Amino acid sequence: MSRLRRFAAVAAAVALPACGLTLAAQSTASAAPNFQVPFKCGVTVTAATFSGHNPANSVDFQKSGITGMPVLAAAPGTVTRVANEGSTSYGRWIELDHGGGWRTRYAHLSEQEVSVGQSVGQGKEIGKAGATGGVTGPHLHFEENLNGVTQKAVLNGVAVPYYGKKDFTSKNGCGGNPYSATQVCGSGFSVIDQQALGTAGTAYLLYNSSSKENCVTTLKAVSLGTASAASAFLEVQGSTRATDSGNFTYYAGPVKKNAGSTCVKWGGSVGSSSYESPFEHCG
Protein backbone atom coordinates (compact mmCIF):
# COMPACT_ATOMS: atom_id res chain seq x y z
CA MET A 1 0.00 0.00 0.00
CA SER A 2 2.19 2.77 -1.13
CA ARG A 3 1.56 6.20 -2.46
CA LEU A 4 2.90 6.97 -5.93
CA ARG A 5 6.62 6.39 -6.12
CA ARG A 6 8.44 7.03 -2.89
CA PHE A 7 11.41 5.09 -1.71
CA ALA A 8 10.37 2.42 0.79
CA ALA A 9 7.18 4.26 1.55
CA VAL A 10 5.85 3.86 -1.92
CA ALA A 11 6.14 1.20 -4.50
CA ALA A 12 5.70 1.66 -8.17
CA ALA A 13 2.40 0.28 -9.32
CA VAL A 14 3.01 -3.18 -10.62
CA ALA A 15 1.61 -4.57 -13.81
CA LEU A 16 -0.01 -7.96 -13.63
CA PRO A 17 2.18 -10.61 -15.14
CA ALA A 18 0.63 -11.90 -18.31
CA CYS A 19 1.10 -15.43 -17.04
CA GLY A 20 -0.98 -14.64 -13.97
CA LEU A 21 -4.02 -13.03 -15.52
CA THR A 22 -6.07 -16.18 -15.85
CA LEU A 23 -6.87 -18.02 -12.66
CA ALA A 24 -8.17 -21.54 -12.44
CA ALA A 25 -11.95 -21.59 -12.45
CA GLN A 26 -13.51 -21.56 -9.03
CA SER A 27 -16.85 -23.16 -8.28
CA THR A 28 -18.73 -21.28 -5.60
CA ALA A 29 -17.36 -18.44 -3.52
CA SER A 30 -17.36 -18.71 0.25
CA ALA A 31 -16.88 -16.27 3.08
CA ALA A 32 -13.39 -14.82 3.17
CA PRO A 33 -10.84 -16.52 5.39
CA ASN A 34 -9.78 -14.50 8.43
CA PHE A 35 -6.68 -13.19 6.66
CA GLN A 36 -3.85 -12.18 8.99
CA VAL A 37 -1.02 -9.70 8.55
CA PRO A 38 1.62 -11.68 6.60
CA PHE A 39 4.45 -11.01 9.04
CA LYS A 40 5.56 -12.59 12.32
CA CYS A 41 3.60 -12.19 15.54
CA GLY A 42 4.11 -8.74 17.07
CA VAL A 43 5.63 -7.11 13.99
CA THR A 44 4.08 -3.73 13.15
CA VAL A 45 3.94 -2.74 9.49
CA THR A 46 2.28 0.08 7.58
CA ALA A 47 -0.44 -0.97 5.16
CA ALA A 48 -0.56 1.59 2.34
CA THR A 49 -3.06 1.88 -0.50
CA PHE A 50 -3.22 4.38 -3.31
CA SER A 51 -5.31 5.23 -6.35
CA GLY A 52 -3.86 3.79 -9.52
CA HIS A 53 -2.26 0.77 -7.87
CA ASN A 54 -2.28 -2.23 -10.20
CA PRO A 55 -4.32 -4.25 -9.55
CA ALA A 56 -6.77 -2.02 -7.74
CA ASN A 57 -7.19 -2.73 -4.00
CA SER A 58 -3.66 -4.11 -3.67
CA VAL A 59 -1.80 -3.38 -0.45
CA ASP A 60 1.85 -2.43 -0.03
CA PHE A 61 3.29 -3.30 3.38
CA GLN A 62 6.07 -0.89 4.33
CA LYS A 63 8.57 -0.91 7.17
CA SER A 64 12.11 0.33 7.69
CA GLY A 65 14.47 -2.60 7.18
CA ILE A 66 11.78 -4.78 5.63
CA THR A 67 14.23 -6.47 3.22
CA GLY A 68 14.80 -10.04 4.39
CA MET A 69 11.92 -10.05 6.87
CA PRO A 70 9.98 -13.36 6.89
CA VAL A 71 6.71 -13.31 4.96
CA LEU A 72 4.00 -15.61 6.36
CA ALA A 73 0.89 -17.19 4.86
CA ALA A 74 -2.08 -14.95 5.68
CA ALA A 75 -4.36 -18.03 5.90
CA PRO A 76 -4.03 -21.80 5.41
CA GLY A 77 -3.81 -22.82 1.79
CA THR A 78 -2.05 -24.55 -1.08
CA VAL A 79 0.76 -23.00 -3.12
CA THR A 80 -0.40 -22.47 -6.71
CA ARG A 81 2.36 -20.19 -8.09
CA VAL A 82 6.03 -19.64 -7.37
CA ALA A 83 7.16 -17.33 -10.15
CA ASN A 84 9.95 -14.93 -11.06
CA GLU A 85 9.28 -12.00 -13.40
CA GLY A 86 12.88 -10.78 -13.12
CA SER A 87 13.26 -7.00 -12.91
CA THR A 88 9.66 -6.31 -14.00
CA SER A 89 6.20 -6.44 -12.46
CA TYR A 90 5.91 -8.70 -9.37
CA GLY A 91 9.53 -9.87 -9.47
CA ARG A 92 9.65 -12.95 -7.27
CA TRP A 93 6.12 -13.78 -6.14
CA ILE A 94 3.93 -16.50 -4.61
CA GLU A 95 0.23 -17.26 -4.83
CA LEU A 96 -1.78 -19.33 -2.33
CA ASP A 97 -5.21 -20.89 -2.87
CA HIS A 98 -7.43 -20.81 0.24
CA GLY A 99 -10.52 -22.45 -1.27
CA GLY A 100 -13.92 -20.99 -2.09
CA GLY A 101 -12.43 -18.81 -4.82
CA TRP A 102 -10.04 -17.00 -2.43
CA ARG A 103 -6.34 -16.57 -3.21
CA THR A 104 -3.58 -14.34 -1.89
CA ARG A 105 -0.48 -13.02 -3.66
CA TYR A 106 2.84 -11.93 -2.17
CA ALA A 107 5.20 -10.03 -4.49
CA HIS A 108 8.66 -8.41 -4.72
CA LEU A 109 10.12 -11.16 -2.53
CA SER A 110 13.86 -11.51 -2.05
CA GLU A 111 13.46 -15.25 -1.37
CA GLN A 112 10.81 -17.91 -2.05
CA GLU A 113 10.71 -20.84 0.36
CA VAL A 114 7.81 -23.01 -0.82
CA SER A 115 6.95 -25.03 -3.92
CA VAL A 116 3.83 -25.46 -6.05
CA GLY A 117 1.40 -27.97 -4.58
CA GLN A 118 2.69 -27.56 -1.03
CA SER A 119 0.10 -27.18 1.74
CA VAL A 120 0.89 -24.39 4.20
CA GLY A 121 -0.71 -23.49 7.49
CA GLN A 122 -1.59 -19.99 8.57
CA GLY A 123 1.60 -18.35 9.82
CA LYS A 124 3.89 -20.63 7.79
CA GLU A 125 6.93 -18.77 6.47
CA ILE A 126 6.75 -18.78 2.66
CA GLY A 127 9.50 -16.32 1.73
CA LYS A 128 11.23 -13.08 2.61
CA ALA A 129 10.37 -9.50 1.69
CA GLY A 130 12.51 -7.60 -0.77
CA ALA A 131 12.57 -5.29 -3.79
CA THR A 132 12.53 -7.56 -6.83
CA GLY A 133 10.54 -6.62 -9.91
CA GLY A 134 9.47 -3.15 -10.97
CA VAL A 135 9.81 -1.24 -7.72
CA THR A 136 11.63 1.83 -6.43
CA GLY A 137 12.01 0.60 -2.85
CA PRO A 138 11.59 -2.54 -0.76
CA HIS A 139 8.11 -3.53 0.41
CA LEU A 140 5.68 -6.44 0.25
CA HIS A 141 2.92 -6.23 -2.35
CA PHE A 142 -0.15 -8.15 -1.10
CA GLU A 143 -3.51 -9.07 -2.63
CA GLU A 144 -6.68 -10.77 -1.39
CA ASN A 145 -8.34 -12.09 -4.56
CA LEU A 146 -11.80 -13.60 -5.02
CA ASN A 147 -12.28 -15.46 -8.30
CA GLY A 148 -9.48 -13.45 -9.87
CA VAL A 149 -10.64 -10.01 -8.68
CA THR A 150 -8.62 -8.17 -6.03
CA GLN A 151 -10.83 -7.27 -3.07
CA LYS A 152 -10.42 -4.51 -0.49
CA ALA A 153 -8.19 -6.11 2.09
CA VAL A 154 -9.33 -7.04 5.60
CA LEU A 155 -6.72 -8.15 8.16
CA ASN A 156 -7.87 -10.01 11.27
CA GLY A 157 -11.31 -8.47 10.84
CA VAL A 158 -10.02 -4.89 10.41
CA ALA A 159 -10.54 -3.18 7.06
CA VAL A 160 -7.53 -1.62 5.38
CA PRO A 161 -8.28 2.06 4.53
CA TYR A 162 -8.68 3.10 0.89
CA TYR A 163 -6.85 5.28 0.19
CA GLY A 164 -4.31 5.95 2.88
CA LYS A 165 -2.05 4.33 5.43
CA LYS A 166 -2.66 2.41 8.63
CA ASP A 167 -0.33 0.55 10.99
CA PHE A 168 -1.16 -3.09 11.72
CA THR A 169 0.47 -5.24 14.38
CA SER A 170 0.54 -8.87 13.31
CA LYS A 171 -1.23 -11.56 15.32
CA ASN A 172 -0.18 -14.14 12.76
CA GLY A 173 1.34 -17.18 14.43
CA CYS A 174 0.76 -15.79 17.93
CA GLY A 175 -1.12 -18.93 18.91
CA GLY A 176 -4.76 -19.39 19.73
CA ASN A 177 -7.81 -19.28 17.48
CA PRO A 178 -7.69 -16.18 15.26
CA TYR A 179 -11.50 -15.94 15.25
CA SER A 180 -13.82 -14.66 17.97
CA ALA A 181 -17.42 -15.74 18.54
CA THR A 182 -18.71 -12.30 17.56
CA GLN A 183 -16.73 -12.40 14.31
CA VAL A 184 -18.31 -15.75 13.44
CA CYS A 185 -21.89 -14.76 14.29
CA GLY A 186 -21.63 -11.27 12.84
CA SER A 187 -22.52 -7.68 13.61
CA GLY A 188 -25.05 -7.09 16.37
CA PHE A 189 -24.42 -10.34 18.28
CA SER A 190 -23.07 -10.39 21.84
CA VAL A 191 -21.93 -13.37 23.90
CA ILE A 192 -24.45 -14.23 26.65
CA ASP A 193 -23.08 -17.65 27.67
CA GLN A 194 -20.14 -19.93 27.01
CA GLN A 195 -18.88 -23.35 28.02
CA ALA A 196 -15.33 -24.68 27.86
CA LEU A 197 -14.96 -28.09 26.21
CA GLY A 198 -12.05 -29.13 28.40
CA THR A 199 -8.96 -27.80 26.64
CA ALA A 200 -10.30 -28.62 23.15
CA GLY A 201 -12.34 -25.49 22.58
CA THR A 202 -15.31 -23.42 23.73
CA ALA A 203 -18.99 -23.35 22.76
CA TYR A 204 -20.62 -19.91 22.71
CA LEU A 205 -24.22 -18.70 22.82
CA LEU A 206 -24.84 -15.20 21.45
CA TYR A 207 -27.89 -12.98 21.07
CA ASN A 208 -28.85 -10.12 18.77
CA SER A 209 -31.33 -7.84 20.53
CA SER A 210 -32.36 -6.20 17.26
CA SER A 211 -33.17 -9.33 15.25
CA LYS A 212 -34.14 -11.44 18.32
CA GLU A 213 -31.85 -14.17 17.03
CA ASN A 214 -29.63 -16.52 18.99
CA CYS A 215 -26.39 -17.79 17.48
CA VAL A 216 -24.15 -20.69 18.52
CA THR A 217 -20.58 -21.31 17.43
CA THR A 218 -17.88 -23.63 18.73
CA LEU A 219 -14.31 -22.34 18.50
CA LYS A 220 -11.52 -24.90 18.43
CA ALA A 221 -8.42 -24.55 20.61
CA VAL A 222 -6.61 -27.59 19.21
CA SER A 223 -5.55 -28.65 15.69
CA LEU A 224 -5.96 -25.05 14.56
CA GLY A 225 -5.73 -24.68 10.79
CA THR A 226 -6.30 -28.42 10.33
CA ALA A 227 -9.75 -29.82 9.55
CA SER A 228 -10.98 -31.89 12.50
CA ALA A 229 -14.30 -32.85 14.06
CA ALA A 230 -16.35 -30.07 15.64
CA SER A 231 -20.03 -29.18 15.94
CA ALA A 232 -22.44 -26.50 17.13
CA PHE A 233 -26.19 -26.78 17.69
CA LEU A 234 -29.12 -24.61 18.69
CA GLU A 235 -32.63 -25.76 19.60
CA VAL A 236 -35.47 -23.34 20.30
CA GLN A 237 -38.00 -25.01 22.60
CA GLY A 238 -40.79 -26.46 20.52
CA SER A 239 -38.77 -26.36 17.30
CA THR A 240 -36.37 -28.68 15.46
CA ARG A 241 -32.73 -28.61 16.47
CA ALA A 242 -30.30 -27.03 13.96
CA THR A 243 -26.78 -28.48 13.89
CA ASP A 244 -23.57 -27.71 12.03
CA SER A 245 -21.27 -30.72 12.28
CA GLY A 246 -18.21 -31.80 10.31
CA ASN A 247 -14.47 -31.30 9.99
CA PHE A 248 -13.51 -27.66 10.41
CA THR A 249 -10.23 -25.76 10.62
CA TYR A 250 -11.20 -23.18 13.27
CA TYR A 251 -14.87 -23.30 14.24
CA ALA A 252 -18.27 -24.93 13.77
CA GLY A 253 -21.32 -22.79 13.06
CA PRO A 254 -22.68 -20.23 13.09
CA VAL A 255 -26.10 -21.76 13.82
CA LYS A 256 -28.80 -19.09 14.10
CA LYS A 257 -32.47 -19.21 15.11
CA ASN A 258 -35.04 -16.62 16.08
CA ALA A 259 -35.86 -17.18 19.76
CA GLY A 260 -37.26 -13.99 21.25
CA SER A 261 -38.56 -14.89 24.72
CA THR A 262 -38.46 -18.67 24.08
CA CYS A 263 -36.07 -20.98 25.95
CA VAL A 264 -33.14 -22.43 24.02
CA LYS A 265 -30.92 -25.47 24.34
CA TRP A 266 -27.44 -25.08 22.88
CA GLY A 267 -23.98 -26.59 22.80
CA GLY A 268 -21.28 -28.11 20.68
CA SER A 269 -18.26 -30.37 20.52
CA VAL A 270 -14.62 -30.56 19.53
CA GLY A 271 -13.42 -34.11 19.05
CA SER A 272 -14.73 -36.20 21.95
CA SER A 273 -15.36 -33.21 24.24
CA SER A 274 -18.96 -31.97 24.11
CA TYR A 275 -21.53 -29.87 25.97
CA GLU A 276 -25.33 -29.72 25.88
CA SER A 277 -27.21 -27.18 27.96
CA PRO A 278 -30.67 -27.54 29.47
CA PHE A 279 -33.42 -25.31 28.10
CA GLU A 280 -32.46 -21.88 29.43
CA HIS A 281 -32.13 -18.16 28.60
CA CYS A 282 -35.89 -17.96 28.32
CA GLY A 283 -36.21 -14.20 28.60
Side-chain angles (χ1 to χ4, degrees), residues 177 193-205 216-223 228-233 244 248 250-253 266-277:
N177 196 313
D193 207 344
Q194 63 187 76
Q195 178 65 46
L197 305 173
T199 59
T202 304
Y204 294 88
L205 175 67
V216 176
T217 181
T218 301
L219 302 187
K220 295 169 51 180
V222 296
S223 301
S228 62
S231 69
F233 76 84
D244 184 35
F248 303 104
Y250 292 103
Y251 60 84
W266 62 280
S269 65
V270 176
S272 60
S273 300
S274 63
Y275 171 74
E276 180 171 327
S277 78

XYZ file of all heavy atoms in Angstrom, residues 177 193-205 216-223 228-233 244 248 250-253 266-277:
329
model
N -6.891 -19.369 18.612
C -7.808 -19.281 17.480
C -7.895 -17.833 17.012
O -8.164 -16.941 17.821
C -9.189 -19.790 17.911
C -10.088 -20.097 16.735
O -10.206 -19.306 15.816
N -10.725 -21.248 16.771
N -23.464 -16.463 26.909
C -23.084 -17.647 27.669
C -21.973 -18.369 26.916
O -21.842 -18.225 25.695
C -24.276 -18.586 27.853
C -24.156 -19.441 29.122
O -23.044 -19.534 29.674
O -25.186 -20.016 29.538
N -21.188 -19.143 27.641
C -20.138 -19.927 27.014
C -19.777 -21.099 27.907
O -20.004 -21.066 29.115
C -18.900 -19.079 26.736
C -18.218 -18.507 27.960
C -17.114 -17.542 27.590
O -17.367 -16.402 27.195
N -15.863 -17.991 27.724
N -19.246 -22.156 27.284
C -18.877 -23.351 28.021
C -17.605 -23.930 27.444
O -17.531 -24.237 26.246
C -19.995 -24.402 27.953
C -19.679 -25.702 28.653
C -19.512 -25.536 30.160
O -20.320 -24.878 30.800
N -18.459 -26.123 30.712
N -16.583 -24.079 28.296
C -15.329 -24.682 27.857
C -15.536 -26.166 27.607
O -16.233 -26.850 28.361
C -14.252 -24.471 28.914
N -14.917 -26.666 26.550
C -14.956 -28.089 26.208
C -13.614 -28.693 26.599
O -12.804 -29.069 25.750
C -15.227 -28.263 24.711
C -16.494 -27.556 24.190
C -16.561 -27.650 22.676
C -17.726 -28.137 24.831
N -13.370 -28.747 27.923
C -12.055 -29.128 28.403
C -11.034 -28.144 27.871
O -11.211 -26.933 27.983
N -9.971 -28.654 27.258
C -8.961 -27.799 26.637
C -9.087 -27.797 25.111
O -8.257 -27.214 24.418
C -7.546 -28.268 27.020
O -7.376 -29.639 26.593
C -7.331 -28.178 28.515
N -10.155 -28.453 24.605
C -10.296 -28.623 23.152
C -10.918 -27.424 22.460
O -10.726 -27.224 21.259
C -11.117 -29.876 22.852
N -11.674 -26.616 23.203
C -12.340 -25.486 22.584
C -13.402 -24.924 23.500
O -13.501 -25.283 24.678
N -14.249 -24.064 22.951
C -15.312 -23.420 23.725
C -16.550 -23.266 22.853
O -16.450 -22.857 21.693
C -14.872 -22.030 24.227
O -13.664 -22.164 24.986
C -15.939 -21.397 25.097
N -17.707 -23.587 23.427
C -18.992 -23.355 22.762
C -19.561 -22.032 23.273
O -19.498 -21.746 24.475
C -19.954 -24.498 23.043
N -20.112 -21.240 22.363
C -20.625 -19.913 22.708
C -22.087 -19.773 22.291
O -22.483 -20.230 21.210
C -19.828 -18.818 21.997
C -18.401 -18.695 22.429
C -17.401 -19.453 21.827
C -18.034 -17.800 23.437
C -16.077 -19.328 22.216
C -16.699 -17.674 23.828
C -15.730 -18.436 23.219
O -14.418 -18.312 23.600
N -22.856 -19.093 23.155
C -24.224 -18.697 22.822
C -24.259 -17.176 22.758
O -23.835 -16.496 23.698
C -25.210 -19.192 23.881
C -26.666 -18.740 23.715
C -27.285 -19.362 22.462
C -27.496 -19.095 24.952
N -25.099 -19.808 17.825
C -24.154 -20.688 18.515
C -22.977 -20.980 17.593
O -23.163 -21.260 16.401
C -24.828 -22.010 18.941
C -23.793 -22.953 19.584
C -25.961 -21.742 19.925
N -21.785 -20.893 18.144
C -20.582 -21.307 17.431
C -19.651 -21.999 18.413
O -19.659 -21.697 19.612
C -19.860 -20.110 16.782
O -18.698 -20.576 16.082
C -19.429 -19.084 17.811
N -18.886 -22.943 17.921
C -17.881 -23.629 18.727
C -16.512 -23.324 18.142
O -16.248 -23.631 16.979
C -18.112 -25.152 18.728
O -19.406 -25.435 19.256
C -17.066 -25.855 19.566
N -15.655 -22.689 18.949
C -14.310 -22.342 18.501
C -13.326 -23.393 18.987
O -13.292 -23.732 20.174
C -13.894 -20.975 19.039
C -14.770 -19.772 18.680
C -14.104 -18.490 19.164
C -15.034 -19.706 17.201
N -12.536 -23.911 18.082
C -11.516 -24.896 18.431
C -10.325 -24.232 19.130
O -10.011 -23.076 18.865
C -11.024 -25.614 17.172
C -12.060 -26.455 16.465
C -11.579 -26.926 15.099
C -10.215 -27.581 15.144
N -9.742 -28.026 13.832
N -9.661 -24.992 19.991
C -8.418 -24.549 20.608
C -7.286 -25.519 20.304
O -6.152 -25.299 20.714
C -8.594 -24.408 22.119
N -7.597 -26.585 19.589
C -6.606 -27.595 19.212
C -6.691 -27.832 17.710
O -7.707 -27.529 17.076
C -6.835 -28.921 19.969
C -6.624 -28.725 21.459
C -8.228 -29.480 19.698
N -5.611 -28.359 17.134
C -5.554 -28.650 15.691
C -5.989 -27.455 14.859
O -6.700 -27.598 13.864
C -6.441 -29.865 15.363
O -6.026 -31.012 16.076
N -10.710 -30.820 11.533
C -10.980 -31.887 12.497
C -12.396 -31.726 13.025
O -13.030 -30.672 12.853
C -9.962 -31.849 13.646
O -10.048 -30.628 14.356
N -12.894 -32.775 13.680
C -14.304 -32.847 14.057
C -14.694 -31.763 15.062
O -14.029 -31.561 16.080
C -14.608 -34.221 14.630
N -15.784 -31.080 14.748
C -16.355 -30.074 15.640
C -17.832 -29.906 15.278
O -18.247 -30.234 14.166
C -15.624 -28.739 15.521
N -18.613 -29.395 16.213
C -20.031 -29.182 15.943
C -20.564 -28.042 16.783
O -19.964 -27.652 17.792
C -20.841 -30.457 16.235
O -20.875 -30.714 17.633
N -21.706 -27.517 16.373
C -22.442 -26.505 17.128
C -23.924 -26.744 16.868
O -24.308 -27.084 15.743
C -22.045 -25.100 16.687
N -24.751 -26.592 17.918
C -26.186 -26.780 17.692
C -26.991 -25.770 18.500
O -26.532 -25.234 19.513
C -26.620 -28.212 18.044
C -26.733 -28.494 19.517
C -27.894 -28.180 20.226
C -25.680 -29.070 20.208
C -27.994 -28.426 21.587
C -25.768 -29.314 21.564
C -26.930 -28.992 22.265
N -24.650 -27.776 13.021
C -23.567 -27.712 12.035
C -22.468 -28.632 12.542
O -21.863 -28.380 13.591
C -23.049 -26.280 11.893
C -21.989 -26.159 10.817
O -22.100 -26.873 9.797
O -21.064 -25.336 10.976
N -13.715 -29.086 10.593
C -13.514 -27.658 10.407
C -12.121 -27.258 10.882
O -11.558 -27.871 11.789
C -14.564 -26.859 11.186
C -15.981 -27.213 10.830
C -16.749 -27.995 11.681
C -16.538 -26.787 9.642
C -18.049 -28.333 11.367
C -17.840 -27.112 9.302
C -18.596 -27.893 10.164
N -11.231 -24.081 12.126
C -11.199 -23.179 13.273
C -12.478 -23.177 14.098
O -12.424 -22.961 15.310
C -10.900 -21.743 12.825
C -9.509 -21.564 12.291
C -9.287 -21.466 10.921
C -8.414 -21.505 13.144
C -8.006 -21.325 10.425
C -7.131 -21.363 12.652
C -6.922 -21.269 11.301
O -5.652 -21.135 10.810
N -13.622 -23.378 13.477
C -14.871 -23.300 14.236
C -16.007 -24.020 13.515
O -15.972 -24.225 12.299
C -15.283 -21.837 14.476
C -15.513 -21.033 13.227
C -16.731 -21.057 12.553
C -14.498 -20.230 12.700
C -16.943 -20.318 11.404
C -14.691 -19.484 11.553
C -15.928 -19.533 10.907
O -16.125 -18.798 9.769
N -17.018 -24.418 14.308
C -18.275 -24.932 13.774
C -19.336 -23.853 13.947
O -19.299 -23.077 14.897
C -18.699 -26.203 14.508
N -20.305 -23.821 13.029
C -21.324 -22.788 13.055
C -20.973 -21.709 12.034
O -20.072 -21.896 11.199
N -28.553 -25.349 23.784
C -27.437 -25.076 22.878
C -26.203 -25.856 23.327
O -26.139 -26.366 24.445
C -27.120 -23.583 22.854
C -26.681 -23.066 24.208
C -27.488 -22.744 25.267
C -25.342 -22.858 24.662
N -26.743 -22.342 26.353
C -25.429 -22.401 26.009
C -24.103 -23.004 24.073
C -24.295 -22.099 26.761
C -22.969 -22.700 24.814
C -23.074 -22.249 26.146
N -25.225 -25.924 22.456
C -23.983 -26.594 22.803
C -23.152 -26.912 21.580
O -23.420 -26.422 20.481
N -22.156 -27.754 21.787
C -21.276 -28.113 20.683
C -20.220 -29.087 21.133
O -20.202 -29.552 22.279
N -19.314 -29.394 20.225
C -18.264 -30.366 20.521
C -17.012 -30.057 19.718
O -17.067 -29.439 18.650
C -18.739 -31.786 20.188
O -18.955 -31.926 18.796
N -15.882 -30.502 20.257
C -14.619 -30.562 19.534
C -14.032 -31.929 19.850
O -13.762 -32.243 21.015
C -13.639 -29.456 19.963
C -12.300 -29.628 19.245
C -14.212 -28.073 19.665
N -13.877 -32.754 18.823
C -13.421 -34.113 19.052
C -14.392 -34.851 19.960
O -15.599 -34.857 19.731
N -13.884 -35.437 21.028
C -14.727 -36.202 21.947
C -15.273 -35.367 23.097
O -16.045 -35.865 23.920
C -13.930 -37.388 22.518
O -12.784 -36.929 23.230
N -14.880 -34.099 23.171
C -15.363 -33.209 24.236
C -16.620 -32.489 23.765
O -16.619 -31.879 22.689
C -14.288 -32.179 24.610
O -13.117 -32.817 25.067
N -17.693 -32.564 24.551
C -18.960 -31.969 24.114
C -19.705 -31.348 25.292
O -19.413 -31.616 26.459
C -19.846 -33.021 23.446
O -20.196 -34.036 24.376
N -20.687 -30.516 24.965
C -21.527 -29.868 25.975
C -22.925 -29.706 25.402
O -23.092 -29.349 24.226
C -20.974 -28.495 26.361
C -21.913 -27.706 27.226
C -22.106 -28.037 28.566
C -22.635 -26.633 26.705
C -22.989 -27.318 29.366
C -23.511 -25.903 27.495
C -23.685 -26.246 28.824
O -24.567 -25.542 29.601
N -23.938 -29.962 26.245
C -25.334 -29.718 25.884
C -26.012 -29.072 27.075
O -26.035 -29.626 28.178
C -26.052 -31.008 25.502
C -27.512 -30.775 25.128
C -28.175 -32.001 24.531
O -27.479 -32.772 23.839
O -29.393 -32.177 24.742
N -26.571 -27.901 26.870
C -27.211 -27.179 27.962
C -28.638 -27.691 28.176
O -29.203 -28.351 27.304
C -27.277 -25.686 27.620
O -28.331 -25.416 26.711
